[in-house]
């Protein structure tokens, strides 16, 4: 039996980097974090920035597979760069399952994203998303909602940045 799922990506639940930056600053979130393997991190260094998994894949550059790859493709977020608002693994005192390299970025980077970039903020980790959920159940859909609902240090809430070039 073949099941076809069509994910509607036409909704506009994204925000601009400067709008998200303002909210982060209001909540004293001054750094963003991205953990990855040595292999994938070397690819980032080669490219001069964090790259989406889809971008690295398209360029046939080395990266370590992740258990979320299938979900990222299914949900249409394969070309997004994921950032956390807290160093999760430092807080939990556990090894980082995504890799041993941690990039710590000044949140000000959101103010200088490439033209055409979109920023999404999740309400839950995409590996837990369900088909019957609406986009508004998965992600914050406006700056106002993000201002009232973003909880500093909440592990499930992460930024997804979509840039025209994937880096």
């Amino acid at each position: 039996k073949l099941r076809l799922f069509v994910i509607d990506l036409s909704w506009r639940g994204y925000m601009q980097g400067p709008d998200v930056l303002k909210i982060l600053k209001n909540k004293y979130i001054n750094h963003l974090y991205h953990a990855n393997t040595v292999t994938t991190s070397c690819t980032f260094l080669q490219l001069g920035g964090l790259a989406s998994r889809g971008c690295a894949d398209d360029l046939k550059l080395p990266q370590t597979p992740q258990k979320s790859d299938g979900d990222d493709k299914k949900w249409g977020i394969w070309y997004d760069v994921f950032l956390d608002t807290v160093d999760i693994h430092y807080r939990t005192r556990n090894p980082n399952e995504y890799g041993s390299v941690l990039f710590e970025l000044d949140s000000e980077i959101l103010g200088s994203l490439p033209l055409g970039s979109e920023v999404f903020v999740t309400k839950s980790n995409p590996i837990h998303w369900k088909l019957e959920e609406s986009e508004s159940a998965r992600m914050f859909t406006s700056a106002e909602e993000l201002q009232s609902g973003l909880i500093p240090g909440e592990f499930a809430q992460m930024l997804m940045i979509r840039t025209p070039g994937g880096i």
Side-chain angles (χ1 to χ4, degrees):
K1 181 176 178 182
L2 177 66
R3 293 178 60 188
L4 175 65
F5 297 104
V6 177
I7 308 299
D8 179 12
L9 298 176
S10 63
W11 68 286
R12 301 281 48 156
Y14 71 88
M15 292 165 265
Q16 300 296 311
D19 298 328
V20 175
L21 173 60
K22 182 179 178 183
I23 294 166
L24 295 181
K25 290 293 185 186
N26 286 342
K27 296 185 178 278
Y28 304 102
I29 299 171
N30 298 312
H31 294 94
L32 300 170
Y33 303 87
H34 179 91
N36 225 305
T37 63
V38 171
T39 298
T40 303
S41 298
C42 287
T43 291
F44 294 163
L45 294 173
Q46 178 183 347
L47 291 171
L50 298 180
S52 69
R53 300 197 48 77
C55 174
D57 189 54
D58 289 351
L59 294 171
K60 308 253 186 286
L61 295 171
Q63 64 180 336
T64 306
Q66 294 181 2
K67 66 180 179 182
S68 61
D69 286 349
D71 288 327
D72 292 350
K73 290 174 186 175
K74 175 175 83 176
W75 295 118
I77 55 178
W78 179 241
Y79 288 92
D80 296 350
V81 174
F82 289 76
L83 298 170
D84 294 306
T85 61
V86 64
D87 179 355
I88 294 170
H89 306 288
Y90 176 79
R91 281 222 355 234
T92 61
R93 303 281 193 229
N94 287 324
N96 192 323
E97 70 178 79
Y98 289 103
S100 58
V101 179
L102 179 69
F103 292 90
E104 180 179 299
L105 307 166
D106 190 309
S107 60
E108 292 287 339
I109 198 163
L110 294 174
S112 60
L113 293 173
L115 188 63
S117 295
E118 302 169 338
V119 180
F120 303 84
V121 182
T122 66
K123 292 179 178 178
S124 63
N125 190 314
I127 63 172
H128 301 297
W129 289 357
K130 306 273 186 271
L131 282 172
E132 62 273 7
E133 290 178 318
S134 66
E135 283 83 8
S136 62
R138 297 179 194 131
M139 292 183 249
F140 293 96
T141 58
S142 69
E144 296 77 21
E145 183 186 15
L146 182 62
Q147 176 64 48
S148 65
L150 183 67
I151 302 168
E154 173 58 46
F155 295 168
Q157 296 176 344
M158 61 190 80
L159 280 73
M160 298 185 312
I161 300 174
R162 186 173 300 161
T163 64
I167 302 171

